[in-house]
Amino acid sequence: MSDTAKLAVGGKDTDFPVLHGSVGPDVIDIRKLYAQTGEFTYDPGFTSTASCESGLTYIDGEEGVLLHRGYPIGQLAEQSSFMEVAYLLLNGELPSKDDLSTFKNTITRHTMVHEQLATFFRGFRRDAHPMAIMCGVVGALSAFYHDSTDISDPEQRTIASHRLIAKMPTIAAMAYKYSVGQPFLYPQNDLSYTANFLRMTFGVPAEEYVVDPAVEKAMDRIFILHADHEQNASTSTVRLAGSSGANPFACIAAGIACLWGPAHGGANEAALNMLREIGTPDKIPHYIERAKDKDDPFRLMGFGHRVYKNYDPRATVMQKTVREVFKAMKVTDPVFDVALQLEEMALKDDYFVEKKLFPNVDFYSGVILSAIGFPTSMFTVLFALARTVGWVAQWNEMISDPAQKIGRPRQLYTGPTQRDYVAIDKR
Ligand code: SDX
């Protein structure tokens, strides 16, 4: 393994250090490139650019491997819990029984939101998209909790992190309740993180709500599958916002805004809408042809990935969870058959095979969430709820990195060169 890379530019050779990670591609350290050559690299979309060093999550896109602090996502999904994965991502190691109990208790005691936060919902129309509400209300958190916004204080960073992880389910449930015109429910401290969320979402004051353990397990597993994913667009947004020292609550609101896009976290809502639009298996060939047509902006939602050029391991677990939820809830949905047949036909089509397009985390998630009772407009909210753990862990990793500095990319300028102003009567 070479430790230097030689670049011939501007008529001279310049050596740059090559840095080696614990696994995965080496990186060429080009931090001195501009100073030594007067030139920038150019990589819109960051397809070949490592923006940071991280020890949280590793993806091997060719092999379809996803590790959180070294643990494979399949093992975590089967054997762990969302709270345990949150602890793992934040602290680097799996917790002892006592540590996990203390962590869960701490999070539980931050699940209530400031009573005045409820007034922010009333400003939204009832038909507002829940992600619009999440952007607004989570952003509003930055106007509260001033005892946990000094990011130079590790203690305050920890409290802000716990508050964000704890309050997202409460705010997400409130966004849903507001959209259906039902009263907000307060969290209940004797429930698990995920059971609390399900009760606040589907319960009503008029009667007791009993959480179905099978649904709780499926929901908790879905949260695990969405917890973190290297430097995806929304995580990079949180890091860039946080690099200026911005309020942590506002940084997470920025991540929510980015996640909302249909190319990113909004794909789970778009994927189920697409499957429903296809409707029956006989329509699948038409949509596959549309997805392949360069002149047609339509893409198979829930398919393809910047990093995975193999099956997204989260989609494998998701497909298995569909069957478990259908069995537990004694329901079915013809859209699942459409999804299965669409996957089968696409994976036999040269276009998808050559471009290495496989189902991603968003392809099956909507089928499960719909079966549990969530409207499609809530799907990305659930993604944001779970990804808050990853965003917060990545933000903490960045802020506590002594080498951290404000992110400030450069550009390839192709606009007009300098010219003089012309008075309007001479134009
Ligand atoms: C998430 O980054 C993360 O880790 C994200 C995420 C996470 O956990 O944070 O995994 C969550 O965002 C998953 C992705 C959800 N998005 C979708 O399912 C939307 C549909 N997928 C595509 O929009 C696309 O695949 C992306 C955005 C996911 C990835 O796009 P890239 O890496 O920029 O790749 P690309 O657009 O350059 O596509 C490469 C080729 C193109 O064809 P050519 O121009 O080379 O001829 O594949 C084609 C694309 O047209 N292509 C598709 C396709 N996805 C890519 N063609 C049809 N259907 C698709 N879904």
Short mmCIF file of all heavy atoms in Angstrom, two decimals, residues 229 232 262-265 267 291 294 299-306 314 351-352 355 357 360-362 383 387, ligand 1:
data_model
loop_
_atom_site.label_atom_id
_atom_site.label_comp_id
_atom_site.label_asym_id
_atom_site.label_seq_id
_atom_site.Cartn_x
_atom_site.Cartn_y
_atom_site.Cartn_z
N HIS A 229 -25.91 6.29 8.01
CA HIS A 229 -25.50 5.74 6.70
C HIS A 229 -24.35 6.52 6.09
O HIS A 229 -24.44 6.98 4.96
CB HIS A 229 -26.69 5.72 5.75
CG HIS A 229 -26.62 4.54 4.81
ND1 HIS A 229 -26.62 4.69 3.45
CD2 HIS A 229 -26.57 3.21 5.04
CE1 HIS A 229 -26.56 3.50 2.87
NE2 HIS A 229 -26.53 2.57 3.82
N ASN A 232 -24.19 10.53 3.83
CA ASN A 232 -25.28 10.79 2.88
C ASN A 232 -25.63 12.27 2.88
O ASN A 232 -25.12 13.04 3.69
CB ASN A 232 -26.49 9.94 3.27
CG ASN A 232 -26.93 10.23 4.69
OD1 ASN A 232 -27.67 11.16 4.93
ND2 ASN A 232 -26.41 9.46 5.64
N PRO A 262 -37.07 13.79 -2.77
CA PRO A 262 -37.43 12.46 -3.27
C PRO A 262 -36.21 11.63 -3.71
O PRO A 262 -36.29 10.43 -3.80
CB PRO A 262 -38.34 12.75 -4.46
CG PRO A 262 -38.12 14.17 -4.81
CD PRO A 262 -37.66 14.87 -3.57
N ALA A 263 -35.09 12.29 -3.96
CA ALA A 263 -33.89 11.50 -4.32
C ALA A 263 -33.26 10.89 -3.08
O ALA A 263 -32.39 10.01 -3.18
CB ALA A 263 -32.87 12.39 -5.03
N HIS A 264 -33.69 11.33 -1.92
CA HIS A 264 -33.09 10.90 -0.65
C HIS A 264 -34.18 10.28 0.23
O HIS A 264 -34.81 9.31 -0.17
CB HIS A 264 -32.40 12.11 0.00
CG HIS A 264 -31.54 11.84 1.19
ND1 HIS A 264 -31.13 10.59 1.59
CD2 HIS A 264 -30.98 12.70 2.07
CE1 HIS A 264 -30.37 10.70 2.65
NE2 HIS A 264 -30.26 11.96 2.99
N GLY A 265 -34.44 10.83 1.36
CA GLY A 265 -35.39 10.20 2.28
C GLY A 265 -36.83 10.27 1.82
O GLY A 265 -37.68 9.52 2.27
N ALA A 267 -37.85 9.26 -0.83
CA ALA A 267 -38.09 8.17 -1.78
C ALA A 267 -39.02 7.11 -1.23
O ALA A 267 -39.69 6.41 -1.99
CB ALA A 267 -36.76 7.54 -2.18
N ALA A 291 -38.68 3.93 -16.89
CA ALA A 291 -37.50 4.19 -16.05
C ALA A 291 -36.22 4.16 -16.89
O ALA A 291 -35.25 4.84 -16.59
CB ALA A 291 -37.42 3.14 -14.95
N LYS A 294 -34.41 7.73 -21.35
CA LYS A 294 -33.66 8.93 -20.97
C LYS A 294 -34.51 10.18 -21.09
O LYS A 294 -34.28 11.18 -20.41
CB LYS A 294 -32.42 9.06 -21.87
CG LYS A 294 -31.30 8.15 -21.43
CD LYS A 294 -30.53 8.78 -20.24
CE LYS A 294 -29.80 7.73 -19.44
NZ LYS A 294 -30.55 7.39 -18.21
N ARG A 299 -38.19 7.70 -12.64
CA ARG A 299 -37.21 6.70 -12.18
C ARG A 299 -37.94 5.73 -11.26
O ARG A 299 -38.94 6.08 -10.64
CB ARG A 299 -36.08 7.37 -11.39
CG ARG A 299 -35.12 8.15 -12.28
CD ARG A 299 -33.88 8.54 -11.52
NE ARG A 299 -32.80 8.94 -12.40
CZ ARG A 299 -31.60 9.32 -11.95
NH1 ARG A 299 -31.37 9.36 -10.66
NH2 ARG A 299 -30.66 9.67 -12.79
N LEU A 300 -37.39 4.52 -11.14
CA LEU A 300 -37.97 3.57 -10.19
C LEU A 300 -37.59 4.04 -8.79
O LEU A 300 -36.43 3.97 -8.40
CB LEU A 300 -37.41 2.16 -10.42
CG LEU A 300 -37.91 1.35 -11.61
CD1 LEU A 300 -37.40 -0.08 -11.50
CD2 LEU A 300 -39.42 1.39 -11.72
N MET A 301 -38.57 4.55 -8.05
CA MET A 301 -38.28 5.05 -6.71
C MET A 301 -38.00 3.88 -5.77
O MET A 301 -38.65 2.84 -5.85
CB MET A 301 -39.45 5.90 -6.20
CG MET A 301 -39.76 7.07 -7.09
SD MET A 301 -38.30 7.97 -7.61
CE MET A 301 -37.96 8.92 -6.16
N GLY A 302 -37.00 4.03 -4.92
CA GLY A 302 -36.60 2.93 -4.06
C GLY A 302 -35.58 2.02 -4.72
O GLY A 302 -35.21 0.98 -4.18
N PHE A 303 -35.15 2.44 -5.92
CA PHE A 303 -34.13 1.66 -6.65
C PHE A 303 -32.88 2.50 -6.88
O PHE A 303 -32.99 3.71 -7.11
CB PHE A 303 -34.71 1.24 -8.01
CG PHE A 303 -34.95 -0.23 -8.14
CD1 PHE A 303 -36.07 -0.81 -7.56
CD2 PHE A 303 -34.06 -1.04 -8.82
CE1 PHE A 303 -36.31 -2.18 -7.68
CE2 PHE A 303 -34.29 -2.41 -8.95
CZ PHE A 303 -35.41 -2.98 -8.38
N GLY A 304 -31.74 1.88 -6.86
CA GLY A 304 -30.50 2.59 -7.15
C GLY A 304 -29.91 3.22 -5.90
O GLY A 304 -30.64 3.46 -4.93
N HIS A 305 -28.62 3.46 -5.94
CA HIS A 305 -27.96 4.07 -4.77
C HIS A 305 -26.58 4.57 -5.17
O HIS A 305 -25.92 3.96 -6.00
CB HIS A 305 -27.81 3.03 -3.65
CG HIS A 305 -27.59 3.63 -2.31
ND1 HIS A 305 -26.35 4.03 -1.89
CD2 HIS A 305 -28.44 3.95 -1.32
CE1 HIS A 305 -26.45 4.54 -0.67
NE2 HIS A 305 -27.71 4.51 -0.30
N ARG A 306 -26.18 5.67 -4.59
CA ARG A 306 -24.87 6.23 -4.91
C ARG A 306 -23.74 5.27 -4.50
O ARG A 306 -22.74 5.15 -5.18
CB ARG A 306 -24.69 7.57 -4.18
CG ARG A 306 -23.29 8.16 -4.25
CD ARG A 306 -22.85 8.51 -5.66
NE ARG A 306 -23.75 9.44 -6.30
CZ ARG A 306 -23.79 10.74 -6.06
NH1 ARG A 306 -22.99 11.26 -5.15
NH2 ARG A 306 -24.61 11.52 -6.71
N ARG A 314 -30.20 -3.35 3.92
CA ARG A 314 -31.38 -2.91 4.69
C ARG A 314 -32.66 -3.34 3.97
O ARG A 314 -33.68 -3.64 4.60
CB ARG A 314 -31.32 -1.40 4.86
CG ARG A 314 -30.09 -0.89 5.58
CD ARG A 314 -29.96 0.61 5.49
NE ARG A 314 -29.79 1.03 4.11
CZ ARG A 314 -29.75 2.33 3.75
NH1 ARG A 314 -29.86 3.28 4.65
NH2 ARG A 314 -29.61 2.66 2.48
N TYR A 351 -30.59 -3.11 -18.41
CA TYR A 351 -30.39 -1.72 -18.00
C TYR A 351 -30.03 -1.66 -16.51
O TYR A 351 -29.05 -1.04 -16.12
CB TYR A 351 -31.66 -0.91 -18.27
CG TYR A 351 -31.65 0.51 -17.77
CD1 TYR A 351 -31.23 1.56 -18.58
CD2 TYR A 351 -32.05 0.82 -16.46
CE1 TYR A 351 -31.23 2.87 -18.13
CE2 TYR A 351 -32.05 2.12 -16.00
CZ TYR A 351 -31.64 3.14 -16.83
OH TYR A 351 -31.63 4.45 -16.37
N PHE A 352 -30.82 -2.34 -15.70
CA PHE A 352 -30.61 -2.28 -14.24
C PHE A 352 -29.38 -3.09 -13.84
O PHE A 352 -28.65 -2.72 -12.93
CB PHE A 352 -31.87 -2.77 -13.52
CG PHE A 352 -33.03 -1.85 -13.71
CD1 PHE A 352 -33.88 -2.02 -14.79
CD2 PHE A 352 -33.23 -0.78 -12.86
CE1 PHE A 352 -34.94 -1.14 -15.00
CE2 PHE A 352 -34.29 0.10 -13.06
CZ PHE A 352 -35.14 -0.09 -14.14
N LYS A 355 -26.22 -1.05 -14.86
CA LYS A 355 -26.02 0.15 -14.03
C LYS A 355 -25.98 -0.21 -12.54
O LYS A 355 -25.89 0.65 -11.68
CB LYS A 355 -27.11 1.17 -14.32
CG LYS A 355 -27.04 1.73 -15.74
CD LYS A 355 -28.14 2.73 -15.99
CE LYS A 355 -28.18 3.14 -17.44
NZ LYS A 355 -26.94 3.84 -17.85
N LEU A 357 -28.30 -1.31 -10.48
CA LEU A 357 -29.40 -0.69 -9.74
C LEU A 357 -30.18 -1.77 -9.00
O LEU A 357 -30.75 -2.66 -9.61
CB LEU A 357 -30.31 0.07 -10.70
CG LEU A 357 -29.62 1.14 -11.54
CD1 LEU A 357 -30.59 1.72 -12.56
CD2 LEU A 357 -29.06 2.24 -10.66
N ASN A 360 -33.26 -0.28 -2.73
CA ASN A 360 -32.59 0.30 -1.57
C ASN A 360 -33.54 0.32 -0.38
O ASN A 360 -34.65 -0.25 -0.45
CB ASN A 360 -32.09 1.71 -1.91
CG ASN A 360 -33.22 2.64 -2.32
OD1 ASN A 360 -34.24 2.72 -1.64
ND2 ASN A 360 -33.06 3.31 -3.44
N VAL A 361 -33.14 0.94 0.67
CA VAL A 361 -33.87 0.90 1.95
C VAL A 361 -35.32 1.36 1.77
O VAL A 361 -36.22 0.96 2.51
CB VAL A 361 -33.16 1.76 3.01
CG1 VAL A 361 -33.22 3.25 2.64
CG2 VAL A 361 -33.73 1.52 4.39
N ASP A 362 -35.55 2.21 0.75
CA ASP A 362 -36.87 2.82 0.61
C ASP A 362 -37.86 1.97 -0.19
O ASP A 362 -39.04 2.33 -0.29
CB ASP A 362 -36.73 4.18 -0.08
CG ASP A 362 -35.94 5.15 0.81
OD1 ASP A 362 -36.28 5.25 2.02
OD2 ASP A 362 -34.96 5.74 0.33
N PHE A 383 -38.36 8.29 8.81
CA PHE A 383 -36.95 8.21 8.41
C PHE A 383 -36.15 9.26 9.22
O PHE A 383 -35.12 8.98 9.80
CB PHE A 383 -36.83 8.48 6.91
CG PHE A 383 -35.50 8.08 6.29
CD1 PHE A 383 -35.44 7.67 4.97
CD2 PHE A 383 -34.32 8.15 7.00
CE1 PHE A 383 -34.24 7.31 4.38
CE2 PHE A 383 -33.09 7.81 6.42
CZ PHE A 383 -33.07 7.40 5.11
N ARG A 387 -33.13 8.74 11.73
CA ARG A 387 -31.82 9.25 11.30
C ARG A 387 -31.29 10.34 12.22
O ARG A 387 -30.09 10.63 12.20
CB ARG A 387 -31.94 9.77 9.85
CG ARG A 387 -30.63 10.20 9.19
CD ARG A 387 -29.52 9.17 9.23
NE ARG A 387 -29.82 7.92 8.60
CZ ARG A 387 -29.66 7.66 7.31
NH1 ARG A 387 -29.22 8.59 6.50
NH2 ARG A 387 -29.95 6.47 6.81
C1 SDX B 1 -31.52 7.11 0.27
O1 SDX B 1 -26.74 8.34 0.37
C2 SDX B 1 -27.36 7.51 1.13
O2 SDX B 1 -26.79 6.71 1.85
C3 SDX B 1 -28.88 7.64 1.06
C4 SDX B 1 -29.68 6.64 1.90
C5 SDX B 1 -29.43 6.83 3.39
O3 SDX B 1 -29.64 5.87 4.16
O4 SDX B 1 -29.10 7.99 3.79
O5 SDX B 1 -29.34 5.30 1.54
C6 SDX B 1 -31.18 6.84 1.69
O6 SDX B 1 -31.57 8.24 -0.12
C7 SDX B 1 -31.68 5.94 -0.67
C8 SDX B 1 -31.93 6.38 -2.13
C9 SDX B 1 -33.40 6.79 -2.22
N1 SDX B 1 -33.68 7.39 -3.58
C10 SDX B 1 -34.36 6.73 -4.51
O7 SDX B 1 -34.71 5.55 -4.40
C11 SDX B 1 -34.69 7.57 -5.74
C12 SDX B 1 -34.42 6.75 -7.00
N2 SDX B 1 -32.95 6.55 -7.10
C13 SDX B 1 -32.21 7.47 -7.93
O8 SDX B 1 -32.70 8.79 -7.91
C14 SDX B 1 -30.70 7.31 -7.76
O9 SDX B 1 -30.44 5.96 -7.82
C15 SDX B 1 -30.01 7.88 -6.55
C16 SDX B 1 -30.31 9.31 -6.36
C17 SDX B 1 -30.39 7.12 -5.33
C18 SDX B 1 -28.51 7.71 -6.78
O10 SDX B 1 -28.20 8.48 -7.85
P1 SDX B 1 -26.67 8.68 -8.31
O11 SDX B 1 -25.73 7.95 -7.46
O12 SDX B 1 -26.44 10.14 -8.51
O13 SDX B 1 -26.64 7.91 -9.63
P2 SDX B 1 -27.12 8.48 -11.00
O14 SDX B 1 -28.35 9.31 -10.81
O15 SDX B 1 -25.95 9.10 -11.68
O16 SDX B 1 -27.57 7.15 -11.75
C19 SDX B 1 -26.62 6.38 -12.44
C20 SDX B 1 -27.37 5.90 -13.66
C21 SDX B 1 -28.04 7.04 -14.43
O17 SDX B 1 -28.11 6.63 -15.79
P3 SDX B 1 -26.97 7.26 -16.81
O18 SDX B 1 -27.09 8.78 -16.71
O19 SDX B 1 -25.64 6.75 -16.29
O20 SDX B 1 -27.35 6.72 -18.15
O21 SDX B 1 -28.45 5.03 -13.25
C22 SDX B 1 -29.70 5.62 -13.61
C23 SDX B 1 -29.45 7.08 -13.90
O22 SDX B 1 -30.38 7.54 -14.88
N3 SDX B 1 -30.57 5.43 -12.48
C24 SDX B 1 -31.83 5.04 -12.53
C25 SDX B 1 -32.25 4.96 -11.19
N4 SDX B 1 -31.27 5.32 -10.38
C26 SDX B 1 -30.23 5.62 -11.18
N5 SDX B 1 -32.64 4.73 -13.58
C27 SDX B 1 -33.89 4.36 -13.26
N6 SDX B 1 -34.40 4.25 -11.99
C28 SDX B 1 -33.59 4.56 -10.95
N7 SDX B 1 -34.07 4.44 -9.72
#
